[in-house]
Amino acid sequence: MTKKTTLKVIIITLAALLVLGAISTGIYYYRDILFSEDVLSRVLDEGGISIHFIDVGQGDSILIMTPDGNMLIDTGTNSSEPVLKSYLLELDIKSFEYLVLTHPHDDHIGGADMIVKEFDVENIIMTNSDEDIEIYLTLLSLIDEYDVNVIEAISGESFSLGELTSTVIAPNKDYGEYDEVNSTSVVLKCEFGECSLIFTGDAEADSELEMIEEYGDFLDCDILKLGHHGSKTSSSYEFLEITSPEYAIACCGTDNTYGHPAAEVMYRLNLFKIELLRTDKDGSIVFVCDGEELTHIK
Ligand SMILES: [Zn+2]
């Protein structure tokens, strides 16, 4: 082989490797959704639901797809809007029966403007917050402009989406009575047949204690979305004991500067033998429920 031919072979091999690398990266990037797309449509056809803890980095966004429509709990940050939008479009989602905004912080309502503008939103469930931060005020005027129905989240009230029943279990005091905006988070217990889930927003230990006092054993569930991204100020020993979930989910960003989920929380989860799944390590996390069995599919 001449020097020229050897060089050619090296260049062609390198180019082939590059193309292969690009293809496999592409497959890896979309694997999250492609993997489960068939399963998801079959679940809906058979009357089941799917629950998606979407990987939006350091923020929350949870999608519940039911045969009777969709519900979205929080919308990630403003900068994660493209990720959220492409996830929803891949699943061919065009509308939401309910958009729940747990509390007015950027990592929960940051993408809400995009959702209101680009999807058909029937109802927004939120508290009567008097926060005067810009992102929240802008959202309020957008909700007005798009004429979306707003339902105030009141503890004890329920709303339905077909067979899925969601009950507001927090906040249990008026907005101004909390020291932290996090603890004003709307917390939902969702029930579908035998499957039950609790979504806590960023509720902290004080709100957890109020829920225990108010709802007791009703807090028992299969999946608990850990409060405040797995921070040590949430997921108290008492709350984990009474909710006694099989799975706990931490929605947090890779190498986040807050150290979420906290070592203390992981220790408590270990004590109760609760399996921890986390979006920073697992990417988007998906469960399905047929009304009897809850299955972790991704
Ligand atoms: Zn948060």
Side-chain angles (χ1 to χ4, degrees):
M1 223 187 276
T2 64
K3 263 189 184 171
K4 226 176 168 182
T5 322
T6 316
L7 196 65
K8 248 186 185 172
V9 170
I10 292 172
I11 290 171
I12 289 169
T13 313
L14 280 176
L17 283 174
L18 270 174
V19 169
L20 272 176
I23 290 172
S24 58
T25 309
I27 289 172
Y28 181 78
Y29 183 75
Y30 284 108
R31 196 183 51 178
D32 268 16
I33 294 168
L34 287 179
F35 164 77
S36 47
E37 217 168 8
D38 282 353
V39 183
L40 294 180
S41 48
R42 202 175 63 230
V43 166
L44 288 181
D45 286 348
E46 291 171 356
I49 63 167
S50 59
I51 306 107
H52 307 243
F53 298 85
I54 303 170
D55 179 14
V56 288
Q58 184 69 13
D60 276 17
S61 190
I62 301 135
L63 165 72
I64 304 180
M65 297 173 77
T66 85
D68 298 278
N70 308 307
M71 176 156 96
L72 188 68
I73 305 172
D74 286 334
T75 60
T77 59
N78 197 252
S79 57
S80 65
E81 270 180 7
V83 175
L84 177 61
K85 187 177 164 185
S86 66
Y87 192 97
L88 298 171
L89 291 181
E90 282 286 333
L91 292 175
D92 208 21
I93 286 179
K94 296 180 178 69
S95 62
F96 297 100
E97 224 66 24
Y98 296 105
L99 168 62
V100 181
L101 299 174
T102 61
H103 66 296
H105 276 167
D106 173 62
D107 54 327
H108 297 257
I109 63 164
D113 57 333
M114 178 275 291
I115 296 291
V116 169
K117 282 183 198 160
E118 301 191 29
F119 294 81
D120 192 5
V121 180
E122 197 75 27
N123 303 288
I124 290 183
I125 296 175
M126 60 202 284
T127 56
N128 233 339
S129 165
D130 54 10
E131 281 299 292
D132 60 359
I133 50 173
E134 198 189 333
I135 188 170
Y136 180 58
L137 298 177
T138 312
L139 178 63
L140 289 184
S141 51
L142 200 68
I143 290 171
D144 226 34
E145 187 187 328
Y146 281 76
D147 204 20
V148 185
N149 183 44
V150 175
I151 301 170
E152 189 189 345
I154 296 175
S155 185
E157 293 199 348
S158 298
F159 51 97
S160 299
L161 192 47
E163 301 293 310
L164 176 76
T165 305
S166 304
T167 307
V168 178
I169 55 174
N172 288 291
K173 288 192 303 200
D174 286 339
Y175 200 85
E177 292 180 73
Y178 288 99
D179 297 333
E180 292 284 338
V181 175
N182 283 342
S183 278
T184 69
S185 288
V186 177
V187 180
L188 290 182
K189 175 166 179 178
C190 297
E191 295 166 283
F192 182 78
E194 301 290 314
C195 304
S196 58
L197 308 96
I198 291 182
F199 303 100
T200 53
D202 279 355
E204 301 197 352
D206 55 341
S207 173
E208 293 177 349
L209 195 61
E210 289 161 13
M211 286 186 259
I212 294 171
E213 282 164 3
E214 201 68 35
Y215 293 99
D217 290 339
F218 179 64
L219 298 178
D220 180 67
C221 64
D222 303 311
I223 298 179
L224 173 68
K225 201 290 297 178
L226 294 173
H228 198 192
H229 320 282
S231 153
K232 64 179 178 185
T233 49
S234 303
S235 311
S236 58
Y237 182 91
E238 294 79 4
F239 195 64
L240 292 180
E241 186 176 36
I242 203 156
T243 50
S244 64
E246 196 179 335
Y247 298 97
I249 317 290
C251 297
C252 54
T254 309
D255 300 327
N256 67 79
T257 51
Y258 309 98
H260 295 155
E264 291 91 330
V265 170
M266 291 195 273
Y267 175 78
R268 286 176 223 147
L269 292 172
N270 246 328
L271 279 181
F272 290 108
K273 301 198 172 8
I274 300 166
E275 186 175 344
L276 172 67
L277 300 170
R278 41 196 287 187
T279 54
D280 62 336
K281 298 257 191 270
D282 303 308
S284 296
I285 297 160
V286 185
F287 286 87
V288 295
C289 174
D290 62 3
E292 289 174 9
E293 291 285 321
L294 182 73
T295 315
H296 175 209
I297 64 165
K298 158 72 184 69

